[in-house]
Amino acid sequence: MAKVTCSDETVLSNMPIIEGRDFMNTPPLKTVRFGGNVVATLAKFKQGDTSDYELLKHQLADPDIKDAQIINWLQEFRNCVTQLSKDHEQLIYVALRLPWLGRSPAVVEEYLSFLSNLVSAQTVYLRACLKMVVSNFKPSEFLSVYLPRSFDQCHQALQLIGRYVPSTSCFLMPILIDNFPFVQKSSRTLECYVHNLLRVAVYIPSLRRDVLELIISRMLKLDVSAPRGEIEEVEENTVQQELKGEQEEEGLFDMDEDVCSVKSSPAGTNVMVHPVAERLDTLMVVLLAFIKDMCHVNGCLDVERTKDLYKDLVCVFDKLILPTHASCHVQYALFYLCSFRLALAEAFLEHLWRLLQSQSHPAVLRQSAAGYMGSFLARANFLPVATVRACLDLLVPWLHLYIDSQDSGSRAYCDITLHGPFYNACQAVFYTLIFRHRSILEGNMKKGLAYLQSLNLERIVMCQLNPLKVCLPAVTNMFAAITRKYQLVFCYTIIERNNRHVLPVVRSSVGGDCVSTNTNPLDSFFPFDPYVLKRSSKLIEPLYQVWEEPADTEVDTVTTKRCSDADEDDFLRGETPETKGVMGMTPGSYESHLHSPSSVGSPPISFLQRPYHH
């Protein structure tokens, strides 16, 4: 017969009668346990008697286990931790799953002591301990009320393990990757996990770049599966449905689940109706908050910490974001960071410029770098005109040198395969001038015009490579209108000639003679086109240059019609075909150097101390 023992707090006799206690429906106050102590149980197990051993595992797995029992067991485990070799891994796995989170401070303290003793004496259990901690980075129904406290306790445990086992970071990253929730999981689950990953990056800085890479890779999967046009269509349809619903007779019940879900997320709130966009918006809020907290100490920018974070983000940009075609929002993390200090923005532009020039990089990445450069120059309202002009002074001479090298050769004809980076650089210049010509001309029209004339845009437009033929029609038409107004170059003769020579066409996929003209041969996308995520946009909007159509500029009738809508932010709306995003990876990266005064700040603590809110 099994031996019955009681904890120190158990009183076996003379129990007081508690008035008003429902004896039949309340658990007993006694904490009863069966079998011998842990040392005796391990000794029996070594001799081949497993009865008490199995009974011990069963009691540890009891879902109704009390605090006093947990403390008692953990104390006994600590007293014989040197005996808990790999032969007892099943017992240890059960002990690690004890429900310690959200319990009394005494239980938490005892559990943390057990963890530290275990990893110190038996490093074979390091991975198991790390997996236990990381598995609690996601919310659960049981701990929903105690999430902030539970997450704090998890990070306390992880830091304690790291203190006793210096190699913890080497084993931790694969576990963080394996436990990352599927991107189809709820916004709440993704938010909790990403928030906790970023907290880890604060107190284990050696993992920060890897953590950012992991998070951004998952966010890009969301981003490319939710094109901007699709998000806008879903949100606009929701507004229309709500307006229509307000006009219908009250008292009618709509049992359609999709309609019900739409009604639960009204357009007037900050909740995105598009489910993927909602998850991405949630993660962007967390990531941007992390960037802000890491770069500021007591509200002041810490230059050295900001430079370090910038270098990490640029490496992730090179590896993940730059090769990903048609991402819409994730790249704004770097846009936001660059707004903190002009030196950061200039370092980013210099980095893109080096990529564009580099012959060692694939043409597709050089073309992407040109697109980022033009879009950043056009949309970042925190860039002074001097920086814009400095970048034009790099791009335009490079275009002229390229023309010099090609005009007399055998490849002096319009061919995207041969001259892709050149054409994208041309489009970046045209796009930048469309957005920035006013700021260049403001203050001193004469000097501004002289500067624009010095760029010799006419030679670029008239060259045999014919860049206007492959640029987006909206960019071409607006650039032509602006340059004609200021008598910089007359583009319409070339545009009309290009229109007579039809671009390569693609036959209809359903067969027949129906063909469509390829209006985007460069497969262009502008990475800093309007930001449409609701909550995170609050941080982006103050930094963003919206499109303002020049009222006195005559443009092509089609473009005029497209831009006439007062709600249209972007003159490119409808010009760039929606393309499916493609994620790519490329090795290597270039770390830009920041030339700014150094500053010494305190260790990063704000994100670590940030309470978790839902």
mmCIF file of all heavy atoms in Angstrom, residues 21 58 78 97 115 142 162 166 168 194 213 243 263 285 287 296 410 419 426 436 451 467 477 483 507 519 528 589 608:
data_model
loop_
_atom_site.group_PDB
_atom_site.id
_atom_site.type_symbol
_atom_site.label_atom_id
_atom_site.label_comp_id
_atom_site.label_asym_id
_atom_site.label_seq_id
_atom_site.Cartn_x
_atom_site.Cartn_y
_atom_site.Cartn_z
ATOM 1 N N ARG A 21 -18.889 27.443 4.953
ATOM 2 C CA ARG A 21 -18.152 26.718 3.919
ATOM 3 C C ARG A 21 -18.995 25.577 3.375
ATOM 4 O O ARG A 21 -19.523 24.782 4.136
ATOM 5 C CB ARG A 21 -16.853 26.179 4.499
ATOM 6 C CG ARG A 21 -15.992 25.413 3.491
ATOM 7 C CD ARG A 21 -14.628 25.140 4.089
ATOM 8 N NE ARG A 21 -13.784 24.467 3.113
ATOM 9 C CZ ARG A 21 -13.486 23.172 3.188
ATOM 10 N NH1 ARG A 21 -13.954 22.441 4.173
ATOM 11 N NH2 ARG A 21 -12.707 22.624 2.279
ATOM 12 N N HIS A 58 2.539 11.370 -11.974
ATOM 13 C CA HIS A 58 1.094 11.581 -12.025
ATOM 14 C C HIS A 58 0.685 12.744 -11.120
ATOM 15 O O HIS A 58 -0.145 13.584 -11.502
ATOM 16 C CB HIS A 58 0.371 10.295 -11.614
ATOM 17 C CG HIS A 58 -1.109 10.420 -11.594
ATOM 18 N ND1 HIS A 58 -1.883 10.467 -12.734
ATOM 19 C CD2 HIS A 58 -1.976 10.538 -10.547
ATOM 20 C CE1 HIS A 58 -3.158 10.605 -12.408
ATOM 21 N NE2 HIS A 58 -3.242 10.633 -11.090
ATOM 22 N N ARG A 78 15.337 20.273 -5.810
ATOM 23 C CA ARG A 78 16.565 21.056 -5.680
ATOM 24 C C ARG A 78 17.585 20.331 -4.807
ATOM 25 O O ARG A 78 18.804 20.428 -5.045
ATOM 26 C CB ARG A 78 16.253 22.426 -5.082
ATOM 27 C CG ARG A 78 15.531 23.376 -6.032
ATOM 28 C CD ARG A 78 15.156 24.656 -5.325
ATOM 29 N NE ARG A 78 16.338 25.334 -4.801
ATOM 30 C CZ ARG A 78 16.305 26.273 -3.858
ATOM 31 N NH1 ARG A 78 15.152 26.631 -3.317
ATOM 32 N NH2 ARG A 78 17.403 26.847 -3.442
ATOM 33 N N ARG A 97 6.736 21.407 -16.619
ATOM 34 C CA ARG A 97 5.386 21.820 -17.025
ATOM 35 C C ARG A 97 4.497 22.179 -15.842
ATOM 36 O O ARG A 97 3.291 22.422 -16.011
ATOM 37 C CB ARG A 97 4.725 20.723 -17.860
ATOM 38 C CG ARG A 97 5.304 20.593 -19.257
ATOM 39 C CD ARG A 97 4.393 19.776 -20.172
ATOM 40 N NE ARG A 97 4.317 18.384 -19.759
ATOM 41 C CZ ARG A 97 5.118 17.422 -20.215
ATOM 42 N NH1 ARG A 97 6.078 17.724 -21.084
ATOM 43 N NH2 ARG A 97 4.992 16.183 -19.799
ATOM 44 N N LEU A 115 14.965 26.144 -11.561
ATOM 45 C CA LEU A 115 15.513 26.288 -12.910
ATOM 46 C C LEU A 115 17.010 26.582 -12.877
ATOM 47 O O LEU A 115 17.798 25.962 -13.604
ATOM 48 C CB LEU A 115 14.800 27.422 -13.660
ATOM 49 C CG LEU A 115 13.504 27.129 -14.409
ATOM 50 C CD1 LEU A 115 13.054 28.371 -15.163
ATOM 51 C CD2 LEU A 115 13.673 25.962 -15.366
ATOM 52 N N PHE A 142 -5.810 30.174 -19.861
ATOM 53 C CA PHE A 142 -5.607 30.082 -18.416
ATOM 54 C C PHE A 142 -4.916 31.320 -17.861
ATOM 55 O O PHE A 142 -5.195 31.774 -16.758
ATOM 56 C CB PHE A 142 -4.776 28.829 -18.104
ATOM 57 C CG PHE A 142 -4.401 28.697 -16.651
ATOM 58 C CD1 PHE A 142 -5.349 28.322 -15.702
ATOM 59 C CD2 PHE A 142 -3.113 28.964 -16.222
ATOM 60 C CE1 PHE A 142 -5.012 28.209 -14.360
ATOM 61 C CE2 PHE A 142 -2.771 28.856 -14.885
ATOM 62 C CZ PHE A 142 -3.722 28.469 -13.951
ATOM 63 N N GLY A 162 20.275 32.588 -18.555
ATOM 64 C CA GLY A 162 21.421 33.165 -19.253
ATOM 65 C C GLY A 162 22.558 33.525 -18.324
ATOM 66 O O GLY A 162 23.734 33.471 -18.715
ATOM 67 N N PRO A 166 26.252 30.858 -19.905
ATOM 68 C CA PRO A 166 26.593 31.931 -20.852
ATOM 69 C C PRO A 166 26.298 31.599 -22.308
ATOM 70 O O PRO A 166 26.110 32.493 -23.119
ATOM 71 C CB PRO A 166 28.105 32.117 -20.625
ATOM 72 C CG PRO A 166 28.348 31.610 -19.233
ATOM 73 C CD PRO A 166 27.386 30.478 -19.048
ATOM 74 N N THR A 168 23.687 30.395 -23.508
ATOM 75 C CA THR A 168 22.245 30.320 -23.715
ATOM 76 C C THR A 168 21.828 30.863 -25.078
ATOM 77 O O THR A 168 20.987 30.282 -25.767
ATOM 78 C CB THR A 168 21.511 31.098 -22.607
ATOM 79 O OG1 THR A 168 21.696 30.412 -21.365
ATOM 80 C CG2 THR A 168 20.025 31.197 -22.899
ATOM 81 N N VAL A 194 5.672 38.473 -30.791
ATOM 82 C CA VAL A 194 6.637 39.435 -31.321
ATOM 83 C C VAL A 194 7.085 40.406 -30.234
ATOM 84 O O VAL A 194 8.272 40.757 -30.135
ATOM 85 C CB VAL A 194 6.029 40.189 -32.523
ATOM 86 C CG1 VAL A 194 6.885 41.389 -32.905
ATOM 87 C CG2 VAL A 194 5.890 39.245 -33.709
ATOM 88 N N GLU A 213 15.442 39.893 -37.949
ATOM 89 C CA GLU A 213 15.334 39.151 -39.207
ATOM 90 C C GLU A 213 14.166 38.172 -39.160
ATOM 91 O O GLU A 213 13.394 38.051 -40.127
ATOM 92 C CB GLU A 213 16.646 38.413 -39.484
ATOM 93 C CG GLU A 213 16.673 37.667 -40.796
ATOM 94 C CD GLU A 213 18.003 36.974 -41.031
ATOM 95 O OE1 GLU A 213 19.042 37.557 -40.669
ATOM 96 O OE2 GLU A 213 17.999 35.853 -41.569
ATOM 97 N N LEU A 243 -23.002 51.998 -44.899
ATOM 98 C CA LEU A 243 -23.930 53.047 -45.326
ATOM 99 C C LEU A 243 -25.238 52.447 -45.820
ATOM 100 O O LEU A 243 -26.327 52.963 -45.545
ATOM 101 C CB LEU A 243 -23.283 53.887 -46.436
ATOM 102 C CG LEU A 243 -22.093 54.744 -46.016
ATOM 103 C CD1 LEU A 243 -21.472 55.425 -47.233
ATOM 104 C CD2 LEU A 243 -22.520 55.793 -44.987
ATOM 105 N N LYS A 263 -19.606 43.913 -39.652
ATOM 106 C CA LYS A 263 -20.294 44.829 -38.755
ATOM 107 C C LYS A 263 -19.588 44.943 -37.416
ATOM 108 O O LYS A 263 -19.703 45.950 -36.730
ATOM 109 C CB LYS A 263 -21.742 44.358 -38.545
ATOM 110 C CG LYS A 263 -22.612 44.548 -39.782
ATOM 111 C CD LYS A 263 -24.045 44.090 -39.530
ATOM 112 C CE LYS A 263 -24.923 44.327 -40.748
ATOM 113 N NZ LYS A 263 -26.308 43.873 -40.525
ATOM 114 N N VAL A 285 2.710 48.203 -35.301
ATOM 115 C CA VAL A 285 2.628 49.034 -34.089
ATOM 116 C C VAL A 285 3.687 48.599 -33.082
ATOM 117 O O VAL A 285 4.398 49.428 -32.497
ATOM 118 C CB VAL A 285 1.217 48.950 -33.467
ATOM 119 C CG1 VAL A 285 1.205 49.580 -32.086
ATOM 120 C CG2 VAL A 285 0.194 49.637 -34.368
ATOM 121 N N LEU A 287 6.510 46.846 -33.665
ATOM 122 C CA LEU A 287 7.870 47.058 -34.179
ATOM 123 C C LEU A 287 8.262 48.531 -34.119
ATOM 124 O O LEU A 287 9.382 48.870 -33.709
ATOM 125 C CB LEU A 287 7.959 46.542 -35.616
ATOM 126 C CG LEU A 287 9.318 46.679 -36.306
ATOM 127 C CD1 LEU A 287 10.405 45.955 -35.516
ATOM 128 C CD2 LEU A 287 9.250 46.148 -37.732
ATOM 129 N N HIS A 296 15.626 56.090 -27.935
ATOM 130 C CA HIS A 296 15.443 57.245 -27.058
ATOM 131 C C HIS A 296 15.638 56.858 -25.597
ATOM 132 O O HIS A 296 15.201 55.787 -25.162
ATOM 133 C CB HIS A 296 14.043 57.837 -27.244
ATOM 134 C CG HIS A 296 13.834 58.470 -28.590
ATOM 135 N ND1 HIS A 296 13.495 57.720 -29.705
ATOM 136 C CD2 HIS A 296 13.919 59.765 -29.007
ATOM 137 C CE1 HIS A 296 13.384 58.530 -30.740
ATOM 138 N NE2 HIS A 296 13.633 59.768 -30.346
ATOM 139 N N SER A 410 27.230 49.085 -79.675
ATOM 140 C CA SER A 410 26.264 48.250 -80.391
ATOM 141 C C SER A 410 24.989 48.006 -79.582
ATOM 142 O O SER A 410 24.033 47.432 -80.096
ATOM 143 C CB SER A 410 26.915 46.898 -80.724
ATOM 144 O OG SER A 410 27.325 46.243 -79.524
ATOM 145 N N HIS A 419 19.683 47.319 -69.978
ATOM 146 C CA HIS A 419 19.871 48.612 -69.302
ATOM 147 C C HIS A 419 18.895 48.815 -68.131
ATOM 148 O O HIS A 419 18.534 49.940 -67.829
ATOM 149 C CB HIS A 419 19.681 49.751 -70.318
ATOM 150 C CG HIS A 419 20.443 49.577 -71.593
ATOM 151 N ND1 HIS A 419 21.822 49.561 -71.636
ATOM 152 C CD2 HIS A 419 20.028 49.390 -72.876
ATOM 153 C CE1 HIS A 419 22.225 49.397 -72.893
ATOM 154 N NE2 HIS A 419 21.153 49.281 -73.665
ATOM 155 N N CYS A 426 16.587 56.444 -64.118
ATOM 156 C CA CYS A 426 15.891 57.531 -64.809
ATOM 157 C C CYS A 426 14.526 57.780 -64.182
ATOM 158 O O CYS A 426 14.153 58.929 -63.910
ATOM 159 C CB CYS A 426 15.720 57.191 -66.290
ATOM 160 S SG CYS A 426 17.227 57.312 -67.270
ATOM 161 N N ARG A 436 9.427 67.008 -55.972
ATOM 162 C CA ARG A 436 10.308 67.962 -55.293
ATOM 163 C C ARG A 436 10.635 69.215 -56.101
ATOM 164 O O ARG A 436 11.374 70.076 -55.601
ATOM 165 C CB ARG A 436 11.621 67.267 -54.919
ATOM 166 C CG ARG A 436 11.462 66.119 -53.924
ATOM 167 C CD ARG A 436 11.030 66.625 -52.563
ATOM 168 N NE ARG A 436 11.088 65.577 -51.560
ATOM 169 C CZ ARG A 436 10.882 65.763 -50.257
ATOM 170 N NH1 ARG A 436 10.592 66.985 -49.819
ATOM 171 N NH2 ARG A 436 10.959 64.763 -49.414
ATOM 172 N N TYR A 451 19.483 75.602 -61.707
ATOM 173 C CA TYR A 451 19.913 74.276 -61.246
ATOM 174 C C TYR A 451 19.272 73.181 -62.093
ATOM 175 O O TYR A 451 19.960 72.245 -62.548
ATOM 176 C CB TYR A 451 19.568 74.084 -59.767
ATOM 177 C CG TYR A 451 19.800 72.677 -59.303
ATOM 178 C CD1 TYR A 451 21.089 72.202 -59.090
ATOM 179 C CD2 TYR A 451 18.732 71.794 -59.117
ATOM 180 C CE1 TYR A 451 21.319 70.890 -58.693
ATOM 181 C CE2 TYR A 451 18.945 70.480 -58.724
ATOM 182 C CZ TYR A 451 20.242 70.034 -58.505
ATOM 183 O OH TYR A 451 20.469 68.740 -58.121
ATOM 184 N N PRO A 467 14.471 56.363 -72.376
ATOM 185 C CA PRO A 467 13.879 55.955 -71.088
ATOM 186 C C PRO A 467 12.371 56.216 -70.992
ATOM 187 O O PRO A 467 11.675 55.498 -70.263
ATOM 188 C CB PRO A 467 14.656 56.788 -70.069
ATOM 189 C CG PRO A 467 15.214 57.946 -70.833
ATOM 190 C CD PRO A 467 15.488 57.426 -72.201
ATOM 191 N N ASN A 477 3.976 61.162 -68.148
ATOM 192 C CA ASN A 477 3.072 62.276 -68.458
ATOM 193 C C ASN A 477 3.248 63.446 -67.488
ATOM 194 O O ASN A 477 3.262 64.613 -67.898
ATOM 195 C CB ASN A 477 1.624 61.789 -68.439
ATOM 196 C CG ASN A 477 1.309 60.872 -69.608
ATOM 197 O OD1 ASN A 477 1.937 60.957 -70.661
ATOM 198 N ND2 ASN A 477 0.355 59.971 -69.422
ATOM 199 N N THR A 483 8.119 69.584 -66.918
ATOM 200 C CA THR A 483 9.297 70.083 -67.633
ATOM 201 C C THR A 483 8.904 71.010 -68.780
ATOM 202 O O THR A 483 9.667 71.915 -69.135
ATOM 203 C CB THR A 483 10.136 68.911 -68.166
ATOM 204 O OG1 THR A 483 9.289 68.027 -68.928
ATOM 205 C CG2 THR A 483 10.786 68.144 -67.034
ATOM 206 N N ARG A 507 -0.198 38.183 -75.240
ATOM 207 C CA ARG A 507 -1.465 37.639 -75.712
ATOM 208 C C ARG A 507 -2.335 37.201 -74.538
ATOM 209 O O ARG A 507 -1.849 36.814 -73.488
ATOM 210 C CB ARG A 507 -1.233 36.455 -76.657
ATOM 211 C CG ARG A 507 -0.640 36.872 -77.980
ATOM 212 C CD ARG A 507 -0.863 35.806 -79.045
ATOM 213 N NE ARG A 507 -0.463 36.346 -80.353
ATOM 214 C CZ ARG A 507 -1.270 37.022 -81.142
ATOM 215 N NH1 ARG A 507 -2.516 37.263 -80.750
ATOM 216 N NH2 ARG A 507 -0.848 37.476 -82.301
ATOM 217 N N THR A 519 2.041 48.139 -69.872
ATOM 218 C CA THR A 519 2.262 49.529 -69.462
ATOM 219 C C THR A 519 3.260 49.649 -68.324
ATOM 220 O O THR A 519 3.553 50.748 -67.878
ATOM 221 C CB THR A 519 0.933 50.174 -69.027
ATOM 222 O OG1 THR A 519 0.393 49.422 -67.941
ATOM 223 C CG2 THR A 519 -0.060 50.213 -70.178
ATOM 224 N N PHE A 528 7.485 53.346 -51.126
ATOM 225 C CA PHE A 528 6.908 54.251 -50.137
ATOM 226 C C PHE A 528 5.660 54.939 -50.682
ATOM 227 O O PHE A 528 5.409 56.108 -50.418
ATOM 228 C CB PHE A 528 7.956 55.259 -49.653
ATOM 229 C CG PHE A 528 9.137 54.599 -48.991
ATOM 230 C CD1 PHE A 528 10.406 54.665 -49.549
ATOM 231 C CD2 PHE A 528 8.973 53.883 -47.814
ATOM 232 C CE1 PHE A 528 11.483 54.041 -48.945
ATOM 233 C CE2 PHE A 528 10.042 53.249 -47.200
ATOM 234 C CZ PHE A 528 11.306 53.333 -47.769
ATOM 235 N N SER A 589 25.661 42.104 -47.188
ATOM 236 C CA SER A 589 25.052 43.407 -46.948
ATOM 237 C C SER A 589 26.153 44.421 -46.741
ATOM 238 O O SER A 589 27.294 44.086 -46.451
ATOM 239 C CB SER A 589 24.151 43.363 -45.718
ATOM 240 O OG SER A 589 24.910 43.037 -44.587
ATOM 241 N N LEU A 608 11.866 47.054 -22.375
ATOM 242 C CA LEU A 608 11.854 45.960 -21.404
ATOM 243 C C LEU A 608 10.846 46.228 -20.306
ATOM 244 O O LEU A 608 10.158 45.333 -19.823
ATOM 245 C CB LEU A 608 13.254 45.785 -20.806
ATOM 246 C CG LEU A 608 13.423 44.699 -19.741
ATOM 247 C CD1 LEU A 608 13.095 43.343 -20.325
ATOM 248 C CD2 LEU A 608 14.821 44.718 -19.186
#
